[in-house]
């Protein structure tokens, strides 16, 4: 029995906050559900959250706009590289036209016999759209995107690796995947329920330099799995540690979810996440108000005015 239902969220380091909002909300039509700050460190950096209509686990993209701090990352190998999104089957022509109209270059490619669209975030992070059927996650009809074409949520993540065997072994032994598929230099593993965004696509990349692992503009920082319960999370952590993968964190309370982080042997940082049992996204805002207020972790509340003044103004 799998301890993972599917994906939970993807977290990236981007450039400007307004540029990021414009891309995710005004171009992709996603719902803006949370504006807070990075829990770790002392430098005020936004943490922005986008989702489908219901904020489902498996449908949340989060970003740290590090452009203001002047920290730039390097995309490379041994690093998560592609944000893969699920859209309704038959919607790719609509998205190709919409992205083009918003000044975003789009490539139509075929992967495992299925068409997908590839494009980039303004900071260069690679995105892909995959048409899917029988996905019950509800897309958000925002900024002119009709519900019949709206993004369901995450499809999966593309990870570049110099040697895929180590990552296949790690994911295959500890995350209860379906049998892998191979096509050229790409290996695909499915974790959890297919409609919950758990596709892991490993791309063999021995030409690029090692990608950076710190927070830095233009890179994916981590990919989070939905373990659903703290019991499942603890069992999976115990299993991974017991196998000798000791580059794994203790439990961290992120207010909206509880997290454990583990570095896979292929380089990608994975998170084992559980939506907080005491409210999740709605612990500090009602469902209709999500994203409307600037939220702060308790340790920063005394610095609210100072932090707010230092951060870039965002127009939603």
């Amino acid at each position: 029995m799998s301890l993972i239902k599917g994906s939970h969220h993807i977290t990236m380091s981007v450039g400007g906050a307004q540029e990021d909002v414009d891309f995710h909300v005004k171009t992709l039509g996603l719902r803006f559900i949370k504006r807070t700050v990075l829990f770790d460190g002392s430098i005020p950096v936004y943490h922005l959250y986008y989702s489908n209509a219901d904020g489902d686990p498996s449908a949340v993209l989060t970003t740290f706009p590090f452009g203001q701090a002047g920290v730039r990352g390097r995309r490379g190998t041994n690093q998560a590289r592609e944000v893969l999104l699920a859209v309704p089957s038959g919607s790719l022509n609509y998205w190709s036209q919409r992205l083009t109209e918003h000044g975003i270059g789009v490539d139509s490619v075929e992967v495992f016999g299925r068409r997908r669209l590839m494009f980039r975030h303004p900071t260069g992070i690679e995105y892909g759209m995959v048409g899917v059927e029988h996905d019950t996650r509800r897309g958000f009809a925002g900024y002119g995107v009709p519900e019949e074409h709206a993004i369901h949520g995450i499809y999966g993540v593309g990870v570049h690796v110099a040697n895929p065997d180590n990552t296949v072994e790690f994911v295959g032994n500890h995350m209860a995947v379906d049998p892998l598929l191979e096509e050229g230099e790409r290996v695909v593993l499915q974790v959890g329920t297919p409609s919950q965004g758990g596709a892991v696509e490993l791309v063999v990349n021995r030409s690029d330099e090692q990608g950076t692992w710190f927070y830095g503009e233009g890179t994916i920082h981590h990919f989070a799995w939905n373990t659903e319960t703290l019991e499942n999370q603890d069992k999976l952590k115990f299993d991974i540690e017991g196998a000798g993968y000791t580059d794994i964190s203790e439990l961290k309370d992120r207010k909206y979810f509880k997290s454990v982080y583990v570095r896979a042997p292929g380089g990608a940082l994975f998170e084992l996440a559980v939506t907080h049992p005491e409210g999740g996204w709605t612990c500090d805002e009602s469902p209709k108000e999500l994203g409307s207020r600037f939220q702060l972790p308790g340790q920063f509340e005394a610095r609210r005015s100072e932090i707010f003044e230092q951060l870039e103004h965002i127009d939603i």
Side-chain angles (χ1 to χ4, degrees):
M1 180 180 176
S2 175
L3 298 175
I4 296 175
K5 184 173 183 180
S7 65
H8 191 278
H9 64 272
I10 301 178
T11 293
M12 298 155 276
S13 297
V14 297
Q18 186 64 59
E19 173 185 74
D20 188 65
V21 168
D22 290 348
F23 175 77
H24 286 107
V25 175
K26 299 179 183 179
T27 298
L28 297 186
L30 292 171
R31 184 181 182 191
F32 186 73
I33 63 167
K34 199 66 64 180
R35 179 186 342 189
T36 181
V37 297
L38 174 64
F39 270 59
D40 304 312
S42 58
I43 300 174
V45 175
Y46 271 130
H47 195 179
L48 309 177
Y49 292 70
Y50 312 94
S51 79
N52 67 359
D54 301 311
D56 295 321
S58 81
V60 176
L61 307 181
T62 90
T63 62
F64 298 121
F66 263 86
Q68 189 173 6
V71 181
R72 178 77 189 178
R74 181 180 62 250
R75 289 186 299 281
T77 195
N78 299 327
Q79 178 193 65
R81 285 276 295 265
E82 301 171 12
V83 178
L84 302 177
L85 303 175
V87 299
S89 178
S91 292
L92 293 182
N93 286 342
Y94 166 83
W95 280 107
S96 180
Q97 180 178 342
R98 181 177 173 90
L99 291 167
T100 300
E101 289 173 350
H102 281 77
I104 296 173
V106 184
D107 291 322
S108 183
V109 302
E110 189 172 291
V111 179
F112 290 98
R114 298 175 63 187
R115 180 188 174 209
R116 66 176 56 171
L117 302 179
M118 300 302 298
F119 55 100
R120 290 179 181 267
H121 184 281
T123 55
I125 298 172
E126 297 148 282
Y127 277 58
M129 282 185 175
V130 183
V132 299
E133 297 180 355
H134 313 302
D135 192 325
T136 59
R137 295 175 294 177
R138 194 164 62 97
F140 182 65
Y143 272 85
V145 177
E147 188 171 348
E148 63 266 26
H149 295 309
I151 296 168
H152 290 300
I154 297 166
Y155 177 84
V157 63
V159 180
H160 286 215
V161 290
N163 180 357
D165 294 343
N166 293 333
T167 306
V168 168
E169 180 181 46
F170 173 78
V171 176
N173 288 347
H174 302 288
M175 298 184 175
V177 304
D178 289 340
L180 60 85
L181 300 173
E182 296 184 61
E183 179 182 83
E185 296 294 288
R186 190 174 289 255
V187 178
V188 180
L189 306 103
Q190 179 64 50
V191 180
T193 306
S195 63
Q196 295 297 309
V200 180
E201 300 191 358
L202 305 178
V203 180
V204 179
N205 181 344
R206 299 189 178 98
S207 59
D208 287 349
E209 293 184 59
Q210 166 72 54
T212 51
W213 289 351
F214 54 78
Y215 294 124
E217 177 184 345
T219 59
I220 297 173
H221 187 258
H222 63 265
F223 183 83
W225 301 102
N226 180 17
T227 59
E228 286 199 282
T229 68
L230 292 171
E231 181 182 27
N232 281 349
Q233 184 188 61
D234 193 55
K235 286 180 180 177
L236 190 53
K237 180 179 186 291
F238 183 78
D239 176 58
I240 291 171
E241 281 185 307
Y245 297 102
T246 55
D247 190 0
I248 189 167
S249 76
E250 296 305 312
L251 182 66
K252 296 180 181 291
D253 190 334
R254 300 308 198 189
K255 186 177 181 180
Y256 307 112
F257 43 88
K258 295 191 175 185
S259 305
V260 170
Y261 300 87
V262 58
R263 181 75 65 182
L269 183 63
F270 289 141
E271 176 183 339
L272 313 177
V274 178
T275 299
H276 205 296
E278 297 176 5
W281 315 127
T282 59
C283 69
D284 50 19
E285 293 176 297
S286 72
K288 290 184 178 180
E289 293 176 316
L290 291 179
S292 63
R293 298 177 187 151
F294 180 46
Q295 305 293 342
L296 281 176
Q299 68 267 30
F300 294 137
E301 190 58 53
R303 299 173 56 199
R304 173 176 285 271
S305 296
E306 170 203 344
I307 290 173
F308 186 75
E309 289 174 3
Q310 291 183 47
L311 293 172
E312 178 185 347
H313 173 74
I314 301 175
D315 178 24
I316 305 296

